Amino acid sequence: VNTNNFLVSYWWAVLLAFAGLFMVFKAFTRSPEGRKAWDFFTWRIPLYSLIIRYRFYAQFARTLGTLVENGVTLLRSLELLEDVAGNEYVRGRMIEVRKAVVDGATLSVALSEQNIFPELFVDMMAVGEQTGKFGSTMQLIADVYERELDKQIKIVSTLIPPLVMFVIAAIV
C-alpha cells in the first residue's frame, strides 16, 4: 500500500530516476572501457549469454570457413572476423588471437589460450587444421553451433511465459 501511495504521489520522480539511470548507462557504454565492461558482463549473463555465444560461434565458424574456402588468407580472415562479434570484449580477445597466429601459433592453439571458445569447438578446429580440410570443418562446426543455438532459443522461449507471470504476480 505504501509503495502504491508513493508511486501515485511521486510517479514523476520515478520516471525521472529511470531516465537519469538510462542516460548514465548510455554515457558509460559510450566510453571504450565502459563498453568493454558491459560487453564482458553480457558475455557472462546466464541463459542470455549462451544465445550470444552460440550465435557468435556459428557465425565465426561459418564466415571463417567461407573465407578460407574462397581463397582468403587466414590472417586476413581473422582481421575481417574481429568485428563479427559486435562485442568489444570478444574483439579484444580476437586481436590477441590474430597476434598469436602472426607469431606462429596454430589457430586452434591461439583460440584455446583466450578461453572464449568451448573446448569442443577448438578440438574440431584442430582436426580440420591437421587433416587439411579446414574450410569444410568450419562449416561443420557452424552447423553444430547453429543447432545448439536453436536449442537454447527454445529453452529461453519456454521460460519467458512463466517469468512474465511471476513478474505480473509480484507487481499485483
Side-chain angles (χ1 to χ4, degrees):
V1 172
N2 289 335
T3 304
N4 182 43
N5 290 337
F6 177 80
L7 289 175
V8 167
S9 301
Y10 299 103
W11 62 268
W12 54 270
V14 173
L15 188 63
L16 285 175
F18 278 119
L21 286 173
F22 180 74
M23 291 172 62
V24 167
F25 172 75
K26 284 304 223 180
F28 174 71
T29 57
R30 281 194 189 116
S31 71
E33 297 83 16
R35 186 69 203 177
K36 190 172 183 179
W38 175 251
D39 286 345
F40 176 77
F41 174 72
T42 59
W43 192 254
R44 302 270 187 238
I45 298 173
L47 291 179
Y48 176 71
S49 69
L50 288 177
I51 292 173
I52 292 172
R53 288 178 187 210
Y54 289 151
R55 182 194 60 81
F56 171 68
Y57 300 152
Q59 187 177 14
F60 177 86
R62 180 84 59 211
T63 306
L64 182 60
T66 302
L67 289 170
V68 169
E69 284 178 342
N70 289 309
V72 179
T73 65
L74 183 60
L75 290 176
R76 178 67 181 139
S77 298
L78 290 174
E79 187 178 327
L80 293 170
L81 285 168
E82 287 173 5
D83 295 325
V84 164
N87 183 313
E88 287 300 314
Y89 168 71
V90 174
R91 186 175 182 276
R93 296 294 182 122
M94 293 305 300
I95 289 170
E96 294 301 318
V97 166
R98 188 168 47 88
K99 288 178 184 176
V101 171
V102 167
D103 290 341
T106 62
L107 181 58
S108 57
V109 169
L111 287 176
S112 67
E113 291 173 354
Q114 294 302 318
N115 294 323
I116 56 172
F117 286 89
E119 192 174 326
L120 175 66
F121 187 103
V122 175
D123 290 344
M124 290 175 70
M125 179 184 285
V127 169
E129 289 174 334
Q130 293 168 1
T131 60
K133 297 181 179 180
F134 185 75
S136 60
T137 302
M138 294 308 293
Q139 299 296 341
L140 176 67
I141 293 171
D143 293 339
V144 167
Y145 282 99
E146 284 169 355
R147 284 192 302 271
E148 288 297 319
L149 175 62
D150 289 342
K151 281 191 230 176
Q152 289 302 317
I153 289 172
K154 286 179 185 175
I155 290 170
V156 170
S157 65
T158 58
L159 291 175
I160 288 174
L163 182 64
V164 167
M165 290 181 65
F166 178 76
V167 169
I168 290 172
I171 290 172
V172 168

